[in-house]
Amino acid sequence: SSGESQSEGDDLEDVEVTFPVAMWDLNHCDPKRCSGRRLAKVGLINELRLGQRFSGICLSPVGISCVSPADRDIVAAHGASVIDCSWARIEEIPISRMKSSHPRLLPYLVAANQVNYGKPCKLNCVEALAAAFYITGFKEIARMYLSRFSWGLNFIKINQELLDIYSSCKDGQDVVQHQNQYLQKLKELKEKERDEIDLPPSYSDYSDEEEEDEEEKENLNVATGG
């Protein structure tokens, strides 16, 4: 409930962030809905200039490996950053001018934000950062960032199983392997559900129904004395 999330948000006010958090903002999204700008307003994220280097991990479309618990020491020492842009306009992104020592990809997660709720891999800025914090072991910091948004903590709730799986992996390869296993199970489950929906009624279904109809007629005859 909103009351519970409010009190949880209040409890997170004192969580201290001991490493840098930053973003390159390419002004692709609606300023009123931009979670990155909202974080910048309250001092929870620093804006980087094009050409400026960031020493920590960077959630980037050109990441080679996936963010994982193995990145914990890098985040603790140098922080985390994100490129706030639309992946639909990826060809416009001056990636070479956003220099990061540790570019990373995010594994499969589902968005909880108001624009892309329920859509896989459509995370906004705060969700991406929170996912990286959670996976690298900074779970309270992840919750604190998300608590700044009315819908925020729901991101953890709808991704709890996956976040816990990823945060118990040993490295990026392990994260990808567990992600693929999860997606395979999801695919099999959907196929099973589809097959059950498409399945025509079996002969036994018809026989049962006919027997039930006969029983109902007999009961009706008994009840009416017919």
Side-chain angles (χ1 to χ4, degrees):
S1 72
S2 60
E4 280 171 14
S5 59
Q6 179 65 51
S7 64
E8 197 174 340
D10 293 343
D11 293 342
L12 294 164
E13 287 289 328
D14 299 329
V15 174
E16 192 185 353
V17 186
T18 54
F19 48 76
V21 180
M23 73 168 175
W24 283 277
D25 184 4
L26 299 185
N27 302 311
H28 284 180
C29 58
D30 178 352
K32 289 176 188 168
R33 293 186 167 189
C34 181
S35 62
R37 288 190 201 180
R38 190 158 157 191
L39 292 174
K41 273 184 186 172
V42 294
L44 285 174
I45 200 165
N46 295 315
E47 292 196 51
L48 298 167
R49 298 182 313 276
L50 286 176
Q52 196 173 346
R53 174 172 279 281
F54 187 78
S55 303
I57 69 164
C58 174
L59 304 169
S60 160
V62 296
I64 298 161
S65 59
C66 210
V67 68
S68 77
D71 294 316
R72 182 181 171 89
D73 290 347
I74 299 168
V75 175
H78 305 290
S81 65
V82 66
I83 298 172
D84 195 1
C85 65
S86 165
W87 288 167
R89 295 166 64 181
I90 202 159
E91 68 288 343
E92 298 171 32
I93 302 168
I95 290 291
S96 62
R97 299 189 64 202
M98 291 174 276
K99 297 173 169 40
S100 163
S101 309
H102 307 280
R104 293 289 183 267
L105 296 165
L106 276 171
Y108 175 93
L109 290 161
V110 176
N113 67 72
Q114 291 151 319
V115 179
N116 289 308
Y117 183 86
K119 292 181 184 174
C121 309
K122 291 274 190 180
L123 311 191
N124 67 8
C125 187
V126 70
E127 288 172 315
L129 285 168
F133 297 152
Y134 198 103
I135 292 166
T136 54
F138 299 98
K139 296 179 184 181
E140 286 307 290
I141 292 175
R143 289 190 180 95
M144 186 269 282
Y145 270 71
L146 289 165
S147 73
R148 294 284 175 166
F149 302 83
S150 57
W151 50 266
L153 291 165
N154 204 32
F155 174 71
I156 290 177
K157 283 178 189 153
I158 66 176
N159 290 290
Q160 190 78 65
E161 184 187 355
L162 278 170
L163 287 167
D164 288 340
I165 289 169
Y166 298 149
S167 61
S168 62
C169 291
K170 63 177 188 291
D171 55 27
Q173 265 186 308
D174 199 21
V175 168
V176 172
Q177 198 175 337
H178 279 83
Q179 166 198 267
N180 293 345
Q181 285 169 1
Y182 179 88
L183 290 174
Q184 183 58 34
K185 277 185 202 163
L186 204 63
K187 186 182 169 194
E188 286 166 9
L189 193 67
K190 280 182 181 171
E191 282 172 1
K192 188 175 176 231
E193 283 171 1
R194 195 185 63 227
D195 290 347
E196 282 172 1
I197 291 163
D198 293 345
L199 209 62
S202 67
Y203 173 73
S204 63
D205 289 340
Y206 286 122
S207 337
D208 291 346
E209 279 171 22
E210 283 164 12
E211 281 168 22
E212 280 170 19
D213 287 346
E214 289 301 320
E215 277 176 28
E216 275 176 26
K217 279 179 195 166
E218 282 172 23
N219 293 339
L220 193 64
N221 289 341
V222 169
T224 55

